[in-house]
Amino acid sequence: TTKVITIGKNVSYIGADAFSCFNLTEYVVDPDNAHYSSADGCLLNVGGTALLSVPCAIEGTFEVPYGVCYLAGRSLQDCDGITELILPDSVAAIDLESGVPSGLQKLTVGVGLIVWENVAYYGAVSDITIAEENPVYTVTGGQITEKP
């Protein structure tokens, strides 16, 4: 079974569903790759600003690497062992068409989040915290809502 996926320096395109591996623990990207990078085992764009994929074998608390500004549509797909997700202040936009991990219980959102799109489901999350300084979102009745 695959645990680590190594992406060589000549890889220029990876499709959204390229890696459906439930034992994946880490992405390793050749530092000479002009299109992709990795940090904390995650697959990122070359600048490290877009989180493209989190290894699905990660369990417990997962903190998005600081500097990531955008969580791509399927970045957390099949990461059902994640129980706590921490979005640092650098995260400005989320587009999680596949939803949040089914095991997610706690979500912490930093001050930077201003776009929350296509998040299919987060109803199982019982503990949501959003930084008071966040200009757009707050928590009302256990749900993420836009500030008036």
Side-chain angles (χ1 to χ4, degrees):
T1 59
T2 302
K3 297 215 182 230
V4 176
I5 291 182
T6 302
I7 298 167
K9 69 178 182 177
N10 295 323
V11 176
S12 62
Y13 176 78
I14 300 172
D17 292 322
F19 306 117
S20 294
C21 176
F22 293 101
N23 294 319
L24 183 62
T25 58
E26 180 180 18
Y27 290 98
V28 176
V29 179
D30 187 302
D32 293 328
N33 187 296
H35 304 279
Y36 298 100
S37 66
S38 57
D40 300 334
C42 298
L43 181 62
L44 308 164
N45 68 337
V46 74
T49 58
L51 179 63
L52 305 176
S53 185
V54 174
C56 52
I58 288 180
E59 295 182 345
T61 299
F62 174 70
E63 185 168 354
V64 172
Y66 193 84
V68 168
C69 301
Y70 172 69
L71 272 63
R74 296 182 184 205
S75 57
L76 294 170
Q77 185 169 335
D78 299 324
C79 294
D80 296 332
I82 295 175
T83 57
E84 179 180 6
L85 178 62
I86 301 170
L87 306 178
D89 291 343
S90 63
V91 174
I94 297 176
D95 180 7
L96 295 178
E97 65 188 50
S98 63
V100 298
S102 64
L104 192 65
Q105 300 167 5
K106 184 174 183 179
L107 174 64
T108 303
V109 178
V111 76
L113 185 67
I114 57 172
V115 178
W116 176 271
E117 292 184 341
N118 297 325
V119 180
Y121 177 74
Y122 67 95
V125 181
S126 59
D127 185 357
I128 302 172
T129 303
I130 297 179
E132 286 184 32
E133 300 85 7
N134 185 292
V136 179
Y137 297 104
T138 190
V139 178
T140 305
Q143 299 294 312
I144 297 170
T145 59
E146 288 190 24
K147 287 183 174 179

